[in-house]
Amino acid sequence: MIPRKFGPNLVAQARILALLLALAVAGAARAAADAVGDVSLAIGVSRLVDGAGQATPITRGTAVRAGDRIETERGGHVHIRFVDGAFVIVRPGSRLVIENYRYDAARPQDSAIRFTLEEGVARAISGKAADAARDRFRLNTPIAAIGVRGTDFVVQAEPDRVRVSINSGAIVLTPLGEGCAADALGPCATSAARTLSADMGQVMLEFQRQQTVPRLIPINGAPSPDRLSPPLPEEPRGAPRGARAAIETSTELLAAQAFAEAQGLVPPPRPRIEPPPAETPVPPGTLPPAPAPTPLPPATMVWGRWANAAWAGDTMSVTYAEAIKNGRKGTVGNDYYALFRPEPPLPVLVSNLGRVDFTLRDAEVHLLRGGVAELGRVDSAWLSVDFAARLFATGIAMSNPSVGASSLQISGSVRDDGIFAVRTADGRVAGALTVDGKEAGYFFERPVTGGTFIGITRWGR
């Protein structure tokens, strides 16, 4: 029996302890309920900064909540698995803020997710929330917003530049500003929005602060996010990015080389040399000559010009009267040229070719200024077409001694009759394919300070 003089104190203490225990249990329950994911892998130095500004080291199993900021030092990797199965990887030297993460398993279409990558490189793989509510997912960077269409993408953020590559699905990259607010959800629908899909092949989107719209560039033209901050072997393998990426994602350098080869930007590697027959030995230190490339079949598409006289240096176009011979019909054109192709028996583009990287057959460009056309030079060009998805992507670099070098990268849809046309703030491309998918051609216009580049191309496979 408790002595009378100590009884009240002990009872009060017991009550206080019970209250503290209840509060602790309730707090733990609330904390668990508030968690939207947890860390499945932590390597190197990293920390979690909560909404109150308190920083704690990140270890495997650390819970993450809306309002938390994940920071990694050099060599630090943090993998986060969210409650809806989404996966986010924060690579070294990066800062990612979980602005909002609301997932309702009963009504996933009402989910709302927003991240901000303040700096560095991160990879995002969609979960049930983003798949069911694509118009309510957003990843912001300091200068641009990313919306998704069920996807796996990698983004690199800097104060004045953002680059995005994609493993599967599609994303929409839009500069922040009028019509695209950082506190909104989903992809922005302004005239500056640009789409990147895995079907476009080995390309990525880049946006710099001084530009008006993002531009599409080949992954060999600039370091991709994966190359600047390579993934760990523990990361999930990405889906292949087209036929050339049937090899593992970790072999991106080989895929980039193959893509560059298709563009003619770098010389192709010498093929593997088989041992020569015994009767024709090869002298030590020498290699047999590489086989000559297979020539393209004769072109059936021609460029016709409206004027009788060609611009100086124009060796590609023919007169209108010549262009319409043999039953050729016009497809696209501008004030100077029109592209003519044979009239097909069935005017529907084939769809069973998958993605094709075309070979440039010929191209020319002129700088038009003050009504005078000066011959320029096409320095490099590439064209990729996904026949099943009805999408194209192209890039062309040009130069002229008067204004220097410039480039144009454009992507968009292809109609069922094989015709495509896209105009952006950077320029214009319009062209056509033969319905059998063997040839293509387009004209391009690229305004620059002091004039406008105007050119034509033809392609084959």
Side-chain angles (χ1 to χ4, degrees):
M1 184 173 181
I2 301 173
R4 183 176 181 84
K5 63 178 180 178
F6 297 113
N9 290 336
L10 290 176
V11 171
Q13 291 173 5
R15 288 174 177 172
I16 292 172
L17 288 173
L19 177 61
L20 291 175
L21 180 60
L23 290 174
V25 171
R30 283 195 298 271
D34 290 341
V36 297
D38 58 68
V39 174
S40 60
L41 178 71
I43 294 178
V45 178
S46 59
R47 57 189 164 271
L48 183 150
V49 183
D50 64 20
Q54 182 175 356
T56 56
I58 292 177
T59 60
R60 183 177 180 180
T62 296
V64 297
R65 300 167 178 81
D68 289 346
R69 183 171 70 247
I70 310 299
E71 300 180 349
T72 57
E73 299 289 345
R74 182 176 180 180
H77 292 255
V78 174
H79 295 188
I80 305 170
R81 174 70 69 182
F82 287 88
V83 291
D84 65 324
F87 202 66
V88 171
I89 297 152
V90 186
R91 293 186 182 159
S94 304
R95 296 197 310 271
L96 177 81
V97 181
I98 307 170
E99 303 279 2
N100 187 12
Y101 208 103
R102 188 171 72 252
Y103 171 62
D104 184 348
R107 291 184 56 82
Q109 66 272 20
D110 294 336
S111 302
I113 298 171
R114 185 169 64 242
F115 298 104
T116 295
L117 181 61
E118 297 178 338
E119 181 182 27
V121 175
R123 178 182 172 191
I125 303 173
S126 296
K128 295 177 182 177
D131 290 342
R134 297 178 184 178
D135 59 341
R136 295 174 63 77
F137 176 96
R138 169 73 69 83
L139 189 150
N140 288 323
T141 70
I143 61 173
I146 300 172
V148 303
R149 294 175 181 170
T151 192
D152 173 358
F153 68 96
V154 186
V155 57
Q156 174 207 0
E158 299 175 2
D160 297 313
R161 180 172 63 188
V162 57
R163 287 177 177 154
V164 188
S165 62
I166 193 161
N167 294 319
S168 65
I171 60 97
V172 178
L173 179 66
T174 312
L176 291 172
E178 185 176 356
C180 188
D183 59 357
L185 293 171
C188 296
T190 72
S191 59
R194 293 293 178 268
T195 298
L196 176 67
S197 73
D199 296 327
M200 292 179 179
Q202 298 299 312
V203 292
M204 63 182 174
L205 277 173
E206 178 187 72
F207 176 68
Q208 299 186 50
R209 192 179 292 275
Q210 67 269 24
Q211 296 173 336
T212 56
V213 297
R215 61 183 187 134
L216 198 67
I217 58 176
I219 61 170
N220 66 296
S224 70
D226 273 333
R227 207 175 307 166
L228 286 170
S229 185
L232 290 173
E234 291 86 351
E235 280 196 23
R237 295 187 182 276
R241 288 182 276 177
R244 276 205 173 89
I247 51 179
E248 295 179 354
T249 303
S250 60
T251 58
E252 184 191 37
L253 289 175
L254 293 178
Q257 185 181 41
F259 189 67
E261 175 189 341
Q263 300 173 25
L265 297 179
V266 297
R270 185 180 292 274
R272 185 171 66 90
I273 305 301
E274 298 292 343
E279 63 272 19
T280 57
V282 176
T286 64
L287 292 173
T294 303
L296 294 172
T300 64
M301 304 180 84
V302 300
W303 283 100
R305 60 179 181 268
W306 305 119
N308 288 327
W311 283 343
D314 177 6
T315 60
M316 284 182 60
S317 70
V318 299
T319 63
Y320 175 80
E322 182 68 22
I324 61 175
K325 287 183 177 179
N326 301 321
R328 287 187 289 256
K329 300 294 182 180
T331 56
V332 298
N334 57 11
D335 293 338
Y336 310 97
Y337 305 104
L339 180 62
F340 294 81
R341 68 180 179 184
E343 186 173 17
L346 294 174
V348 179
L349 185 66
V350 295
S351 59
N352 61 348
L353 296 179
R355 187 176 69 85
V356 172
D357 295 324
F358 281 83
T359 299
L360 183 65
R361 185 188 299 272
D362 46 17
E364 65 182 35
V365 65
H366 287 78
L367 176 68
L368 187 65
R369 57 177 184 169
V372 178
E374 302 175 7
L375 183 65
R377 185 177 69 184
V378 173
D379 298 306
S380 63
W382 58 272
L383 170 65
S384 181
V385 177
D386 188 317
F387 287 87
R390 294 291 197 256
L391 296 171
F392 83 95
T394 189
I396 189 161
M398 65 214 78
S399 59
N400 174 276
S402 300
V403 297
S406 186
S407 63
L408 180 64
Q409 294 84 27
I410 283 183
S411 62
S413 300
V414 180
R415 295 182 349 193
D416 285 342
D417 59 2
I419 293 175
F420 53 91
V422 177
R423 184 193 296 271
T424 71
D426 289 334
R428 178 186 179 198
V429 160
L433 297 115
T434 54
V435 293
D436 60 6
K438 293 182 178 180
E439 297 180 55
Y442 66 75
F443 72 79
F444 60 93
E445 299 174 2
R446 174 70 167 106
V448 294
T449 302
T452 300
F453 280 112
I454 297 175
I456 50 179
T457 67
R458 290 192 303 174
W459 307 77
R461 64 172 182 86

